Amino acid sequence: MHLGEPLATHFRLIDAQKAALNKLGIKTVRDLLYHFPARYEVGGEGAAISGLVAGQEATLVGTLEKMETKKGWKSRIPMSEGYLRDQTGRIKLRWFNQPYIAKMYAEGSLVRAVGKVTGSADKIYLANPQLQKVSATEAGLFDSQKGPQKKVLGSPVSAKTPKAGRPDHFSGDLFAIYPESRGVSSLWFRHAIKKIFETGFEVEDPIPALLLKKYNLPTLRTALVWAHTPQNLKDAEAARKRFAFEEVFMIQLELGRERASAAKEKSFVVDVPRQNINEFMSDFPFEATVAQKKAIETILGDMRLGRPMSRLLEGDVGSGKTAVAAVAAYAAVHTRPPAQNSGTLQVAYMAPTEILAKQHFESFIKFFEHFPINIGLITGSGCYKFPSKLNKDKITTISRTQLLKWVTNGEIPVLIGTHALIEKAVQFKHLALVVIDEQHRFGTNQRRKLAKKDKQLPHLLSMTATPIPRTLALTIYGDLDLTLLDEMPPGRKPIITEIVRPADRKGAYEKMRAELQAGRQAYVICPRIDEPDPDKAFALQAKSVKAEAKRLKKDVFQEYELEILHSKMTPKEKDNVMLRFSKHEIDILVATSVVEVGVNVPNATLIIIEGAERFGLSQLHQLRGRVVRSNHQAYCFVCPESRGESTTARLKALVTAKNGFELAEQDLLQRGPGELSGRKQWGISDIGMEAIRNLKLVEAARTEAQALLKKDPDLRAYPLLSQLLMQRTLQTHFE
Ligand code: ADP
Ligand code: MG
């Protein structure tokens, strides 16, 4: 059979299977063959669960079943129960006093469970096991560093208990265990793959043979067999490495072509006399940092060329990216469209949330105070314009239709907004610059969509404070030039971060009171919005915004104004709270992590983060960034709920790490690539994410992709690559 053929040509599928396959994105024979096992289990004798005896410490890998909360029969102690199943059988799991565990893991989850086999004879169970989600990612295949999970490549074998009748190395058959979906089991996958292998299939390897040889990677046919039906784990590992390389290689080719095609396009020449730029900047309430000045130079240099700029500005929270964007915008709106003696070029500025869009809108109004221009704000919930016709210092609401009309005829040179900005109806007259705040991918296609009426492609300035590991940056931002804002505005004092044990929370509150008394404001972050449903008495017991706000107001900070902010509020409610917080009508803001990205209230100097172990290190770093906005000393109190040593050790990194990048690297090492915040937006598969742990592999794929494109920009000699790339591009941009 052919890889491109639809599955239905070769398989008789019932509706449930069709639905399940659809959900997994499997439509063709190729899709099926590229649906890789999450791990492998050893079949045959001495299998894991069936061989357990009471008293032993066991590490098991299997799927969860029947998770539920209960009360002890006599003791009435709240607890969770469930089962763990592997190829050989199942064992009961029990957690005393931890009813929330049952809610934290979905049935059917693949987990590693570590605990003591308790009970007697045929009534054994695993007591208070620690659970850890398992994915292919964790197999540690590409772990060039010393990762903690190196040994566990799909193995249900406990390293500690070779006595329990289990081989320490793998003999016997390996069974592939697939990421499943209701309707198609691992068994179904194994049968289906077997059928394809038996029938025979034609493959053409998209990766040039020379590369396979150079990096010692198996051919496509071999790799498929090794990935799905390996004789040993070494083969499986080699196969997965090949597919990870393939994916990163494809991404790099895609980015390389994106870059090349953007470079061929034309853009407006934006060239404003230096003196005007200096004048604009001299009205800032501060002196730009050296890093800001350098970034501005580079950006102005890019925009002068008439070729589209594609630049990523990366800087920690508070490093002053908005001011840089404002200067770029200034240059654009002080340039006339070619061959015209009126009107100006235009700027679109996109933010991920309404709160942020509004904040940028307000910052821009200030930055442009002495160079008045029309600035528009478009969000899902309303449109605004500055200045108002009647009052030159005021913002006014206007209808969407009116706003869009003015954007289209060029009367509004700067339009700020959320995603609403890239809707079809929004058409600019002379769009010269697109600024994207905290967005991950924004390709030529999207740029073109914004600027449909023009032949010119707008310049792109993408900005991010999300520190990501270098491998990932190379993988997802490979089409952009990079500028770092590696300097904080002067006078900023390093934030004082402390890990606070529950018993010491009072001390944190005292410090908070002192700050409030000094006229400062504070954030309290909680992992949940609401209290758990009282009927489900044992649901996840993390602190909730609503209950914590009530408690703080009643018991601790009676004399202060306190408000809540979370994602279930309407954009209007959120805006209102943020506005009042920024005007200091609110002293304490109790919020979920919605305040994570970019919110700016310089007078807030203290943040308490409850349930801190539920956040990744780089997310905690982002949250902490909310309070490094001014020259006041800032404080961050990190309060984990659990007192475990490993939690504390992990959180300590917040105190010691020098910057966000270090923390992102640690997240990658400790929590695995699946936990990197934002991963959903990147469109990288699990196996591709495995590669993120391996700098060498990513660099090799990148170098080779660039070399290939240099030799053969249109990939004429590689029609299959070219075709697969086209499919990829269609998928990433139009799904
Ligand atoms: P981010 O890089 O996180 O987007 P912002 O652009 O929001 O940071 O800037 C954070 C704060 O620092 C703002 O209040 C801004 O006015 C201020 N700021 C920016 N640049 C400087 C500077 N060079 N000196 C002093 N303050 C600055
Ligand atoms: Mg910002």
Side-chain angles (χ1 to χ4, degrees), residues 452-496:
K452 218 181 252 163
K453 284 198 183 133
D454 296 306
K455 300 252 161 41
Q456 318 263 31
L457 199 67
H459 298 288
L460 173 68
L461 177 62
S462 194
M463 308 198 293
T464 183
T466 312
I468 54 174
R470 205 159 92 78
T471 44
L472 188 58
L474 285 174
T475 306
I476 57 182
Y477 295 131
D479 56 336
L480 302 178
D481 298 314
L482 182 68
T483 298
L484 288 181
L485 277 191
D486 52 4
E487 178 188 5
M488 287 303 230
R492 296 274 159 87
K493 300 182 184 74
I495 186 163
I496 295 175

Side-chain angles (χ1 to χ4, degrees), residues 22-49:
N22 236 342
K23 213 166 134 209
L24 293 167
I26 301 173
K27 298 186 182 102
T28 62
V29 176
R30 171 178 289 111
D31 296 338
L32 183 59
L33 286 172
Y34 273 73
H35 183 69
F36 298 114
R39 65 197 168 85
Y40 307 91
E41 278 180 0
V42 190
E45 285 302 300
I49 287 175

